[in-house]
Amino acid sequence: EFVENGSLKGAFSEKFSFLLFSFSLTDQIKRFGVFPEQVTLRYAYQILLALDYVHTRRIIHGDVKTSNVLITK
């Protein structure tokens, strides 16, 4: 299903409201510079898990980039 303007409002439960208080991966790269390989691999793994999760629900992101990856810790 195509979601206009990237809005997934109502697609996920309230437990994801913490995303409003997150930083983007772009912000973190600007702040800390290049990540060590192990950190990069961990982020890549988590991003792939997230994409798999939304794809199983027939949602296609369509704009995967570091500024659209949110980090909470």
Side-chain angles (χ1 to χ4, degrees):
E1 177 180 340
F2 178 74
V3 180
E4 188 66 40
N5 296 323
S7 176
L8 291 175
K9 187 175 182 178
F12 299 102
S13 68
E14 301 261 337
K15 69 180 180 178
F16 291 102
S17 62
F18 67 86
L19 294 176
L20 298 175
F21 304 104
S22 304
F23 298 97
S24 76
L25 185 54
T26 297
D27 295 335
Q28 298 296 52
I29 292 170
K30 287 179 182 176
R31 183 175 176 194
F32 298 109
V34 177
F35 295 140
E37 183 177 356
Q38 289 296 353
V39 173
T40 301
L41 290 172
R42 184 175 301 146
Y43 281 135
Y45 177 72
Q46 291 177 359
I47 292 165
L48 291 171
L49 286 176
L51 288 172
D52 182 56
Y53 175 82
V54 296
H55 288 172
T56 61
R57 281 144 184 84
R58 302 181 56 85
I59 299 170
I60 297 174
H61 190 286
D63 193 23
V64 177
K65 58 187 176 187
T66 56
S67 61
N68 288 338
V69 175
L70 302 180
I71 300 172
T72 58
K73 50 179 170 169

Coordinates of all heavy atoms in Angstrom, one line a residue:
E1 N 0.8 -1.2 0.0 CA 0.0 0.0 0.0 C 0.9 1.2 0.0 O 1.8 1.3 0.7 CB -0.9 0.0 1.2 CG -1.7 1.2 1.4 CD -2.6 1.2 2.6 OE1 -2.8 0.1 3.2 OE2 -3.0 2.2 3.0
F2 N 0.6 2.2 -0.8 CA 1.3 3.4 -0.9 C 0.8 4.4 0.1 O -0.4 4.6 0.3 CB 1.2 4.1 -2.3 CG 1.9 5.4 -2.4 CD1 3.3 5.4 -2.5 CD2 1.2 6.5 -2.5 CE1 3.9 6.6 -2.6 CE2 1.8 7.8 -2.6 CZ 3.2 7.8 -2.7
V3 N 1.7 5.0 0.9 CA 1.3 6.0 1.9 C 1.8 7.4 1.4 O 3.0 7.6 1.4 CB 1.8 5.6 3.3 CG1 1.4 6.6 4.3 CG2 1.4 4.2 3.7
E4 N 0.9 8.2 1.1 CA 1.3 9.6 0.6 C 2.0 10.4 1.6 O 1.7 10.4 2.8 CB 0.0 10.3 0.2 CG 0.3 11.6 -0.5 CD 0.9 11.4 -1.9 OE1 0.5 10.5 -2.6 OE2 1.8 12.2 -2.2
N5 N 3.1 11.0 1.2 CA 3.9 11.9 2.0 C 4.6 11.2 3.2 O 4.9 11.8 4.2 CB 3.1 13.1 2.5 CG 2.7 14.0 1.4 OD1 3.4 14.2 0.4 ND2 1.5 14.5 1.4
G6 N 4.7 9.9 3.1 CA 5.4 9.1 4.2 C 4.7 9.1 5.5 O 5.2 8.8 6.5
S7 N 3.4 9.4 5.5 CA 2.6 9.4 6.8 C 2.1 7.9 7.1 O 1.4 7.4 6.4 CB 1.4 10.3 6.7 OG 0.7 10.2 7.9
L8 N 2.6 7.4 8.2 CA 2.1 6.1 8.7 C 1.2 6.3 9.9 O 1.1 5.4 10.7 CB 3.3 5.2 9.0 CG 4.2 4.8 7.8 CD1 5.4 4.0 8.3 CD2 3.3 4.0 6.9
K9 N 0.7 7.5 10.1 CA -0.2 7.7 11.2 C -1.3 6.7 11.3 O -2.0 6.4 10.4 CB -0.8 9.1 11.1 CG -1.6 9.5 12.3 CD -2.1 10.9 12.2 CE -2.8 11.3 13.5 NZ -3.3 12.7 13.4
G10 N -1.4 6.0 12.4 CA -2.3 5.0 12.6 C -1.9 3.6 12.2 O -2.5 2.6 12.5
A11 N -0.7 3.5 11.6 CA -0.2 2.2 11.1 C 0.4 1.4 12.2 O 0.5 0.2 12.2 CB 0.7 2.4 9.9
F12 N 0.9 2.1 13.2 CA 1.6 1.4 14.3 C 0.9 1.9 15.7 O 0.3 2.9 15.7 CB 3.1 1.8 14.4 CG 3.8 1.4 13.1 CD1 4.1 2.3 12.1 CD2 4.1 0.0 13.0 CE1 4.7 1.8 11.0 CE2 4.8 -0.4 11.8 CZ 5.1 0.5 10.8
S13 N 1.1 1.1 16.7 CA 0.5 1.4 18.0 C 1.2 2.5 18.7 O 2.3 3.0 18.3 CB 0.6 0.1 18.9 OG 1.9 -0.2 19.2
E14 N 0.6 3.0 19.7 CA 1.1 4.1 20.5 C 2.5 3.8 21.1 O 3.2 4.7 21.5 CB 0.1 4.4 21.6 CG -1.3 4.8 21.1 CD -1.5 6.3 21.1 OE1 -0.8 7.0 21.8 OE2 -2.3 6.7 20.3
K15 N 2.9 2.6 21.2 CA 4.2 2.2 21.8 C 5.3 2.8 21.0 O 6.4 2.9 21.5 CB 4.3 0.7 22.0 CG 4.5 -0.1 20.8 CD 4.7 -1.5 21.1 CE 4.9 -2.3 19.8 NZ 5.0 -3.7 20.1
F16 N 5.1 3.3 19.8 CA 6.2 3.8 19.0 C 6.2 5.4 19.1 O 7.0 6.0 18.4 CB 6.0 3.4 17.5 CG 6.3 2.0 17.3 CD1 5.2 1.1 17.1 CD2 7.5 1.5 17.3 CE1 5.4 -0.2 16.9 CE2 7.8 0.1 17.1 CZ 6.7 -0.7 16.9
S17 N 5.5 5.9 20.1 CA 5.5 7.4 20.2 C 6.8 7.9 20.7 O 7.1 9.1 20.5 CB 4.4 7.8 21.2 OG 4.7 7.3 22.5
F18 N 7.7 7.1 21.2 CA 9.1 7.5 21.6 C 9.9 8.0 20.4 O 10.9 8.7 20.6 CB 9.8 6.3 22.3 CG 10.2 5.2 21.4 CD1 11.3 5.2 20.6 CD2 9.3 4.1 21.3 CE1 11.6 4.2 19.8 CE2 9.6 3.1 20.5 CZ 10.8 3.1 19.7
L19 N 9.5 7.7 19.2 CA 10.2 8.1 18.1 C 10.2 9.6 17.9 O 11.1 10.2 17.3 CB 9.7 7.5 16.8 CG 9.8 6.0 16.7 CD1 9.1 5.5 15.4 CD2 11.2 5.6 16.7
L20 N 9.3 10.3 18.5 CA 9.3 11.8 18.5 C 10.4 12.4 19.2 O 10.8 13.5 19.0 CB 7.9 12.3 19.1 CG 6.7 11.8 18.4 CD1 5.5 12.3 19.2 CD2 6.6 12.4 17.0
F21 N 11.1 11.6 20.1 CA 12.2 12.1 20.9 C 13.5 11.5 20.4 O 14.4 11.3 21.2 CB 12.0 11.9 22.3 CG 10.7 12.5 22.8 CD1 9.5 11.7 23.0 CD2 10.5 13.8 23.0 CE1 8.3 12.2 23.4 CE2 9.3 14.4 23.3 CZ 8.2 13.5 23.6
S22 N 13.7 11.2 19.2 CA 14.8 10.5 18.6 C 15.7 11.4 17.8 O 15.3 12.6 17.5 CB 14.4 9.3 17.7 OG 13.5 8.5 18.4
F23 N 16.9 11.0 17.5 CA 17.8 11.7 16.6 C 18.0 10.9 15.3 O 17.9 9.6 15.4 CB 19.2 11.9 17.3 CG 19.1 12.7 18.5 CD1 19.1 12.1 19.8 CD2 19.1 14.1 18.4 CE1 19.0 12.8 20.9 CE2 19.1 14.8 19.6 CZ 19.0 14.2 20.8
S24 N 18.2 11.5 14.2 CA 18.4 10.8 13.0 C 19.9 10.2 12.9 O 20.8 10.8 13.6 CB 18.2 11.6 11.8 OG 19.2 12.5 11.6
L25 N 20.1 9.2 12.1 CA 21.4 8.7 11.9 C 22.3 9.8 11.3 O 23.5 9.9 11.7 CB 21.3 7.5 11.1 CG 22.6 6.7 10.8 CD1 23.3 6.3 12.1 CD2 22.4 5.4 10.0
T26 N 21.8 10.6 10.5 CA 22.6 11.7 9.9 C 23.1 12.6 11.0 O 24.2 13.0 11.0 CB 21.7 12.5 8.9 OG1 21.4 11.7 7.8 CG2 22.5 13.7 8.4
D27 N 22.2 13.0 12.0 CA 22.6 13.8 13.1 C 23.7 13.2 13.9 O 24.7 13.9 14.3 CB 21.4 14.0 14.1 CG 20.2 14.8 13.5 OD1 20.5 15.6 12.5 OD2 19.1 14.6 14.0
Q28 N 23.6 11.9 14.1 CA 24.7 11.2 14.9 C 26.0 11.2 14.1 O 27.1 11.3 14.7 CB 24.2 9.8 15.3 CG 23.0 9.8 16.2 CD 23.2 10.4 17.5 OE1 23.7 11.5 17.7 NE2 22.9 9.7 18.6
I29 N 25.9 11.0 12.8 CA 27.2 10.9 12.0 C 27.8 12.3 12.0 O 29.0 12.4 12.2 CB 26.9 10.5 10.6 CG1 26.5 9.0 10.6 CG2 28.1 10.7 9.7 CD1 25.9 8.5 9.3
K30 N 27.0 13.4 11.9 CA 27.6 14.7 12.0 C 28.2 15.0 13.4 O 29.2 15.7 13.5 CB 26.5 15.7 11.7 CG 26.1 15.8 10.2 CD 24.9 16.8 10.0 CE 24.5 16.8 8.6 NZ 23.4 17.7 8.4
R31 N 27.6 14.5 14.4 CA 28.0 14.7 15.8 C 29.3 13.9 16.1 O 30.2 14.5 16.7 CB 26.9 14.4 16.8 CG 27.3 14.7 18.2 CD 26.1 14.4 19.1 NE 26.5 14.6 20.5 CZ 25.8 14.3 21.5 NH1 24.6 13.7 21.3 NH2 26.2 14.5 22.7
F32 N 29.3 12.6 15.7 CA 30.4 11.8 16.2 C 31.4 11.4 15.0 O 32.4 10.8 15.3 CB 29.8 10.5 16.8 CG 29.0 10.7 18.0 CD1 27.7 10.6 18.0 CD2 29.6 11.2 19.2 CE1 26.9 10.8 19.1 CE2 28.9 11.4 20.3 CZ 27.5 11.2 20.3
G33 N 31.1 11.7 13.8 CA 31.9 11.3 12.7 C 31.7 9.8 12.3 O 30.6 9.3 12.6
V34 N 32.6 9.3 11.6 CA 32.5 7.9 11.1 C 32.4 6.9 12.2 O 33.2 7.0 13.2 CB 33.6 7.6 10.1 CG1 33.5 6.1 9.7 CG2 33.6 8.5 8.9
F35 N 31.4 6.0 12.2 CA 31.3 5.0 13.2 C 32.3 3.8 13.0 O 32.6 3.5 11.8 CB 29.9 4.4 13.2 CG 28.8 5.4 13.6 CD1 27.6 5.4 12.9 CD2 29.0 6.3 14.6 CE1 26.6 6.2 13.3 CE2 28.0 7.2 14.9 CZ 26.8 7.2 14.3
P36 N 32.7 3.2 14.1 CA 33.5 1.9 13.9 C 32.7 0.9 13.1 O 31.4 0.9 13.1 CB 33.8 1.5 15.3 CG 33.5 2.7 16.2 CD 32.5 3.5 15.5
E37 N 33.4 -0.1 12.5 CA 32.7 -1.1 11.7 C 31.7 -1.9 12.5 O 30.6 -2.1 12.0 CB 33.8 -2.1 11.2 CG 33.2 -3.1 10.2 CD 34.2 -4.0 9.7 OE1 35.4 -3.8 9.9 OE2 33.8 -5.0 9.0
Q38 N 31.9 -2.2 13.7 CA 31.0 -3.0 14.5 C 29.7 -2.2 14.8 O 28.6 -2.8 14.8 CB 31.6 -3.5 15.9 CG 32.6 -4.5 15.7 CD 32.1 -5.8 15.1 OE1 30.8 -6.0 15.0 NE2 32.9 -6.8 14.8
V39 N 29.8 -0.9 15.0 CA 28.6 -0.1 15.2 C 27.8 0.0 13.9 O 26.6 -0.1 13.9 CB 29.0 1.3 15.7 CG1 27.8 2.2 15.8 CG2 29.7 1.2 17.1
T40 N 28.5 0.2 12.8 CA 27.9 0.3 11.5 C 27.1 -1.0 11.2 O 26.0 -1.0 10.7 CB 28.9 0.6 10.4 OG1 29.6 1.8 10.7 CG2 28.3 0.7 9.1
L41 N 27.7 -2.1 11.5 CA 27.1 -3.4 11.2 C 25.9 -3.6 12.1 O 24.8 -4.1 11.7 CB 28.1 -4.6 11.5 CG 29.2 -4.7 10.4 CD1 30.2 -5.8 10.9 CD2 28.6 -5.1 9.1
R42 N 25.9 -3.1 13.4 CA 24.8 -3.2 14.3 C 23.6 -2.4 13.8 O 22.5 -2.9 13.7 CB 25.2 -2.8 15.7 CG 24.0 -3.0 16.7 CD 24.4 -2.7 18.1 NE 25.6 -3.6 18.5 CZ 26.5 -3.2 19.3 NH1 26.6 -2.0 19.8 NH2 27.5 -4.0 19.6
Y43 N 23.9 -1.2 13.3 CA 22.9 -0.3 12.8 C 22.3 -0.9 11.5 O 21.1 -0.9 11.3 CB 23.4 1.1 12.5 CG 23.5 2.0 13.7 CD1 24.6 2.8 13.9 CD2 22.4 2.0 14.6 CE1 24.7 3.6 15.0 CE2 22.5 2.9 15.8 CZ 23.7 3.6 16.0 OH 23.8 4.4 17.0
A44 N 23.1 -1.4 10.6 CA 22.7 -2.0 9.4 C 21.7 -3.2 9.7 O 20.7 -3.3 9.0 CB 23.9 -2.5 8.5
Y45 N 22.1 -4.0 10.6 CA 21.3 -5.2 11.0 C 19.9 -4.7 11.5 O 18.9 -5.3 11.1 CB 22.0 -6.0 12.0 CG 21.2 -7.2 12.5 CD1 21.0 -8.3 11.7 CD2 20.7 -7.2 13.8 CE1 20.3 -9.4 12.2 CE2 20.0 -8.3 14.3 CZ 19.8 -9.4 13.4 OH 19.1 -10.5 13.9
Q46 N 19.9 -3.7 12.4 CA 18.6 -3.3 12.9 C 17.8 -2.6 11.8 O 16.6 -2.7 11.9 CB 18.9 -2.3 14.1 CG 19.5 -3.0 15.3 CD 19.8 -2.0 16.4 OE1 19.7 -0.8 16.3 NE2 20.4 -2.6 17.5
I47 N 18.4 -1.9 10.9 CA 17.7 -1.3 9.8 C 17.0 -2.3 8.9 O 15.8 -2.3 8.6 CB 18.6 -0.4 9.0 CG1 19.0 0.9 9.8 CG2 17.9 0.1 7.7 CD1 20.1 1.7 9.2
L48 N 17.8 -3.4 8.6 CA 17.2 -4.5 7.8 C 16.1 -5.2 8.6 O 15.1 -5.6 7.9 CB 18.3 -5.5 7.5 CG 19.4 -4.9 6.5 CD1 20.6 -5.9 6.3 CD2 18.7 -4.6 5.1
L49 N 16.2 -5.4 9.9 CA 15.1 -6.0 10.6 C 13.9 -5.1 10.6 O 12.8 -5.6 10.4 CB 15.5 -6.2 12.1 CG 16.5 -7.3 12.4 CD1 16.8 -7.3 13.9 CD2 15.9 -8.7 12.0
A50 N 14.1 -3.8 10.7 CA 12.9 -2.9 10.6 C 12.3 -2.9 9.2 O 11.0 -2.9 9.1 CB 13.4 -1.5 10.9
L51 N 13.1 -2.9 8.2 CA 12.5 -3.0 6.8 C 11.8 -4.3 6.6 O 10.7 -4.4 6.0 CB 13.6 -2.8 5.8 CG 14.1 -1.4 5.7 CD1 15.4 -1.4 4.7 CD2 13.1 -0.5 5.2
D52 N 12.3 -5.4 7.1 CA 11.6 -6.7 7.0 C 10.3 -6.6 7.7 O 9.3 -7.1 7.2 CB 12.5 -7.8 7.6 CG 11.9 -9.2 7.5 OD1 11.5 -9.6 6.3 OD2 11.7 -9.8 8.5
Y53 N 10.3 -6.0 8.9 CA 9.0 -5.9 9.7 C 7.9 -5.1 8.9 O 6.8 -5.6 8.8 CB 9.3 -5.1 11.0 CG 8.1 -4.9 11.8 CD1 7.6 -5.8 12.7 CD2 7.5 -3.6 11.8 CE1 6.4 -5.6 13.4 CE2 6.4 -3.3 12.6 CZ 5.8 -4.3 13.4 OH 4.7 -4.1 14.1
V54 N 8.3 -4.0 8.3 CA 7.3 -3.2 7.6 C 6.9 -3.9 6.3 O 5.7 -3.9 5.9 CB 7.7 -1.8 7.4 CG1 7.8 -1.0 8.7 CG2 8.9 -1.6 6.5
H55 N 7.8 -4.6 5.7 CA 7.5 -5.3 4.4 C 6.6 -6.5 4.6 O 5.7 -6.7 3.8 CB 8.8 -5.8 3.7 CG 9.6 -4.7 3.1 ND1 10.9 -4.9 2.6 CD2 9.3 -3.4 2.9 CE1 11.3 -3.7 2.1 NE2 10.4 -2.8 2.3
T56 N 6.7 -7.1 5.8 CA 5.7 -8.2 6.1 C 4.3 -7.7 6.3 O 3.4 -8.4 6.2 CB 6.2 -9.0 7.3 OG1 6.2 -8.2 8.5 CG2 7.5 -9.7 7.1
R57 N 4.2 -6.4 6.5 CA 2.9 -5.7 6.6 C 2.5 -5.0 5.4 O 1.6 -4.1 5.4 CB 2.9 -4.8 7.8 CG 2.7 -5.6 9.1 CD 3.5 -5.0 10.3 NE 3.4 -5.9 11.4 CZ 4.1 -6.9 11.7 NH1 5.0 -7.3 10.8 NH2 4.0 -7.7 12.8
R58 N 3.2 -5.3 4.3 CA 3.0 -4.8 3.0 C 3.1 -3.3 2.9 O 2.4 -2.6 2.2 CB 1.6 -5.3 2.4 CG 1.5 -6.8 2.4 CD 0.2 -7.3 1.9 NE -0.2 -6.8 0.6 CZ 0.2 -7.3 -0.6 NH1 1.0 -8.4 -0.6 NH2 -0.1 -6.8 -1.7
I59 N 4.1 -2.8 3.6 CA 4.4 -1.4 3.6 C 5.8 -1.2 3.0 O 6.7 -1.9 3.4 CB 4.5 -0.7 5.0 CG1 3.1 -0.9 5.7 CG2 4.9 0.7 5.0 CD1 3.1 -0.5 7.1
I60 N 5.9 -0.4 2.0 CA 7.2 -0.1 1.4 C 7.7 1.3 1.8 O 6.9 2.3 1.6 CB 7.1 -0.2 -0.2 CG1 6.8 -1.6 -0.6 CG2 8.4 0.2 -0.8 CD1 6.5 -1.8 -2.0
H61 N 8.9 1.4 2.3 CA 9.3 2.7 2.8 C 9.5 3.7 1.6 O 9.0 4.8 1.6 CB 10.6 2.6 3.6 CG 11.0 3.8 4.3 ND1 11.6 4.9 3.6 CD2 10.9 4.2 5.6 CE1 11.8 5.9 4.5 NE2 11.4 5.5 5.7
G62 N 10.3 3.3 0.7 CA 10.5 4.1 -0.5 C 11.5 5.3 -0.4 O 11.8 5.9 -1.4
D63 N 12.1 5.5 0.8 CA 13.0 6.6 0.9 C 14.0 6.3 2.1 O 14.1 7.1 3.0 CB 12.3 8.0 1.1 CG 13.2 9.2 1.0 OD1 14.2 9.0 0.3 OD2 12.9 10.2 1.5
V64 N 14.7 5.2 2.0 CA 15.6 4.8 3.0 C 16.9 5.6 2.9 O 17.5 5.5 1.8 CB 15.9 3.3 3.0 CG1 16.9 2.9 4.1 CG2 14.6 2.5 3.2
K65 N 17.2 6.4 3.9 CA 18.4 7.2 3.9 C 18.7 7.5 5.4 O 17.9 7.3 6.3 CB 18.3 8.4 3.1 CG 17.2 9.4 3.5 CD 17.0 10.5 2.5 CE 15.8 11.4 2.9 NZ 15.6 12.4 1.9
T66 N 19.9 7.9 5.6 CA 20.3 8.1 7.0 C 19.5 9.2 7.8 O 19.3 9.0 9.0 CB 21.8 8.6 7.1 OG1 22.0 9.7 6.3 CG2 22.7 7.4 6.7
S67 N 19.0 10.2 7.1 CA 18.1 11.2 7.8 C 16.8 10.6 8.1 O 16.0 11.2 8.9 CB 18.0 12.4 6.9 OG 17.4 12.1 5.7
N68 N 16.4 9.4 7.6 CA 15.1 8.8 7.9 C 15.3 7.6 8.9 O 14.3 7.0 9.1 CB 14.4 8.3 6.6 CG 13.9 9.5 5.8 OD1 13.7 10.6 6.3 ND2 13.7 9.2 4.5
V69 N 16.5 7.4 9.4 CA 16.7 6.4 10.4 C 16.8 7.0 11.7 O 17.7 7.9 11.9 CB 18.0 5.6 10.0 CG1 18.3 4.6 11.2 CG2 17.9 4.9 8.7
L70 N 15.9 6.7 12.6 CA 15.9 7.3 13.9 C 16.5 6.5 15.0 O 16.3 5.3 15.0 CB 14.4 7.6 14.3 CG 13.6 8.5 13.4 CD1 12.2 8.7 13.9 CD2 14.3 9.9 13.2
I71 N 17.3 7.1 15.8 CA 18.1 6.4 16.9 C 17.6 6.9 18.2 O 17.5 8.2 18.4 CB 19.6 6.7 16.7 CG1 20.0 6.2 15.4 CG2 20.3 6.1 17.9 CD1 21.5 6.6 15.1
T72 N 17.3 6.0 19.1 CA 16.8 6.4 20.4 C 17.8 6.3 21.6 O 17.6 6.8 22.6 CB 15.5 5.6 20.8 OG1 15.8 4.3 20.8 CG2 14.4 5.9 19.9
K73 N 18.8 5.5 21.3 CA 19.9 5.4 22.4 C 21.2 5.0 21.7 O 21.3 4.8 20.6 CB 19.6 4.4 23.4 CG 19.1 3.0 23.0 CD 18.9 2.2 24.2 CE 18.2 0.9 23.8 NZ 18.2 -0.1 24.8

